[in-house]
Amino acid sequence: MKEYLEKTLNEIAQIGLNSTGEINRLAFSKENQDVIDYVLNLMAECNLHIRKDGFGNIIALKKGSNEELPVIMMGSHLDSVPNGGNFDGVIGILGALAIIKKLQDVNYNNKHSLELVVFMAEESSVFGCSTLGSKAFCGLVNDYNGDMLKNYEGITLNDFLKRQNCEGISKARYLGNIKCFWEMHIEQGCVLDKEKMDIGIVNGIFAPTRVKIVLEGEANHSGATPMLLRYDALCGSAEVVLAVENLAKNFGDELVATVGIIKAKPNVMNVIPGEVELGLDLRSISQKMKNEFLEQLIELLDEIKIKRRLDIDLVILSDENPVLLNADLIEQSKIICDKLSYSYKVMPSGAGHDAMNLALCTPTGMLFVPSQGGISHNPREFSKIDDLVKVCEVLEEIIKYNDNL
């Protein structure tokens, strides 16, 4: 398994590689198709039955001895962000192929059919919306959405799919029975690396709440206005940013909050800022926790409003529900890790993944491989082969366990 993973990871790293060491395999691009063609060859070598759905998702089947049983499914993606790395998504596909190949090599007779899905357009880089392939696969988007979403050239998703000789979103809905779905992925954070853990067992996937906070003071001359007579919206916003940071720390590891946008008006050096707009990204696997955070934040904003003599307005732009993964599959993962003597941490995923869509329609599990230095969406993205092998060994045992349930 290790040799197979080393060989395929090294070969696939050359696809979409530019002169500065960055990977570019944007969804539906030539480079993305090149990497898909490479994987299709690997699937053919494993004698898998291959088909493409209406969105372009690739579904590879290893038939079971009882085809009436629901399938055990694995999957991830092969598209990248611009100037990204070689591990995001890719290890979920190559790892699954390594497991299937090993099962074939030892003549394992699976009762349930095994399916591996390469989901298209997981990254939001092309159409401004993430996990589109798995959304279509699960029936979470429709042709109306396809007319609304456009790429940077103004081409709608529906028209783009036609150009790709795909039948369309309405033909992508998976109609079979799934026993369980599994995704392997790099952590894309530094927790496992810092804590020297072998494997991450994901218990839920953060969902974002996006908030706009507008502070209004009074724009005035920066030289002629005494310090005690100012209504400085930017100074007030600095207190808000720190309040967000300090408040989030009180909620532990299951909530994160980031102020990623600051727009000051008039944004010139010699005028006291009269208005500031902040963009807040709030994520947790608990909707209750997000609600509590916002309630406490509003109280802090009221204090800053009085102290700074400002008007402060908070608007919720979007509020998505977190996704919890299947408790039985989490327990199975823990038992197998203990059996193989691999250390693990049960943890949430801060990033979105295809697994979050599958979790809405079938029992879903997810395993993390440590990311060296916590770096991802970057050419320096890296995970050790030995760590990937451990996760593959765990998932192999989980698949065999579920196959015999």
Side-chain angles (χ1 to χ4, degrees):
M1 185 180 285
K2 181 177 179 179
E3 289 180 4
Y4 181 85
L5 288 168
E6 282 181 324
K7 177 179 181 294
T8 54
L9 266 172
N10 287 334
E11 289 175 350
I12 215 168
Q14 304 307 309
I15 303 173
L17 181 68
N18 66 20
S19 60
T20 56
E22 298 160 330
I23 296 289
N24 286 281
R25 304 174 191 141
L26 300 188
F28 301 108
S29 66
K30 177 187 179 300
E31 293 79 11
N32 188 210
Q33 187 57 52
D34 288 344
V35 78
I36 289 171
D37 289 343
Y38 174 82
V39 167
L40 286 172
N41 287 330
L42 296 180
M43 291 174 170
E45 289 172 3
C46 291
N47 297 312
L48 303 182
H49 299 267
I50 303 166
R51 66 184 177 91
K52 184 173 77 168
D53 70 15
F55 197 89
N57 299 316
I58 306 297
I59 303 155
L61 169 70
K62 181 182 186 298
K63 289 184 179 180
S65 58
N66 186 348
E67 294 185 49
E68 293 183 0
L69 293 174
V71 303
I72 297 173
M73 184 178 286
M74 297 176 281
S76 196
H77 65 99
L78 291 172
D79 62 309
S80 77
V81 297
N83 306 324
N86 189 48
F87 291 79
D88 180 6
V90 169
I91 67 156
I93 301 300
L94 295 183
L97 280 168
I99 292 170
I100 290 171
K101 185 176 184 301
K102 183 178 176 184
L103 292 177
Q104 290 177 329
D105 289 345
V106 298
N107 296 315
Y108 177 80
N109 183 28
N110 49 296
K111 301 178 185 67
H112 295 74
S113 293
L114 306 180
E115 283 190 329
L116 168 58
V117 186
V118 178
F119 293 111
M120 293 296 291
E122 193 270 352
E123 304 290 358
S124 61
S125 307
V126 178
F127 287 98
C129 181
S130 65
T131 65
L132 280 171
S134 56
K135 281 185 171 78
F137 189 85
C138 296
L140 302 175
V141 289
N142 54 35
D143 288 334
Y144 173 79
N145 304 123
D147 282 333
M148 295 298 103
L149 293 170
K150 297 180 180 180
N151 69 3
Y152 59 91
E153 294 177 324
I155 302 170
T156 69
L157 176 58
N158 284 340
D159 286 342
F160 197 90
L161 289 174
K162 289 177 185 176
R163 296 185 185 190
Q164 298 289 315
N165 296 316
C166 294
E167 292 183 285
I169 294 171
S170 62
K171 300 294 185 181
R173 178 77 182 266
Y174 187 83
L175 301 177
N177 294 318
I178 307 171
K179 183 179 179 69
C180 58
F181 173 84
W182 284 91
E183 182 171 11
M184 292 181 285
H185 207 280
I186 56 172
E187 180 196 347
Q188 298 183 288
C190 61
V191 175
L192 296 175
D193 190 39
K194 294 288 185 185
E195 297 188 13
K196 308 298 183 188
M197 291 288 173
D198 294 323
I199 291 166
I201 300 173
V202 181
N203 58 359
I205 298 175
F206 281 4
T209 296
R210 302 278 164 71
V211 179
K212 179 171 72 172
I213 302 171
V214 178
L215 299 90
E216 292 189 6
E218 183 178 79
N220 214 332
H221 196 289
S222 64
T225 310
M227 296 303 292
L228 296 179
L229 299 178
R230 298 180 176 215
Y231 306 95
D232 191 325
L234 187 56
C235 287
S237 72
E239 293 202 28
V240 172
V241 172
L242 292 175
V244 166
E245 180 187 43
N246 291 328
L247 179 59
K249 290 177 180 177
N250 295 335
F251 284 81
D253 293 337
E254 295 191 346
L255 180 144
V256 293
T258 306
V259 176
I261 295 174
I262 301 177
K263 296 179 180 177
K265 295 181 181 178
N267 201 35
V268 293
M269 206 174 292
N270 61 343
V271 179
I272 298 165
E275 180 181 307
V276 173
E277 177 184 319
L278 302 177
L280 167 63
D281 179 286
L282 174 64
R283 300 183 186 227
S284 177
I285 59 169
S286 165
Q287 190 66 31
K288 181 181 179 213
M289 198 174 283
K290 290 199 292 182
N291 292 339
E292 289 175 356
F293 177 94
L294 289 173
E295 289 171 6
Q296 294 180 38
L297 178 61
I298 289 170
E299 293 177 2
L300 292 172
L301 294 181
D302 286 339
E303 294 176 8
I304 295 170
K305 176 179 178 179
I306 294 169
K307 175 185 174 184
R308 287 281 176 180
R309 297 170 295 171
L310 303 169
D311 289 327
I312 303 180
D313 188 33
L314 182 149
V315 179
I316 295 177
L317 302 175
S318 64
D319 188 19
E320 298 182 25
N321 291 318
V323 175
L324 297 178
L325 301 190
N326 186 270
D328 290 338
L329 298 185
I330 291 169
E331 194 61 31
Q332 288 177 23
S333 304
K334 292 160 66 175
I335 291 169
I336 298 298
C337 283
D338 287 336
K339 174 184 172 183
L340 298 177
S341 299
Y342 292 151
S343 61
Y344 64 86
K345 182 180 180 70
V346 178
M347 62 188 297
S349 170
H353 299 285
D354 290 309
M356 68 187 184
N357 298 321
L358 274 294
L360 301 177
C361 56
T362 192
T364 295
M366 189 168 193
L367 299 174
F368 275 162
V369 181
S371 295
Q372 187 166 290
I375 296 170
S376 183
H377 285 185
N378 183 304
R380 292 190 292 124
E381 176 180 275
F382 182 76
S383 291
K384 298 174 183 176
I385 290 291
D386 287 343
D387 289 337
L388 176 54
V389 169
K390 290 175 184 176
V391 173
C392 288
E393 288 174 348
V394 170
L395 185 51
E396 177 192 352
E397 291 299 313
I398 291 171
I399 287 170
K400 289 191 288 189
Y401 176 81
N402 281 279
D403 188 42
N404 288 291
L405 273 179

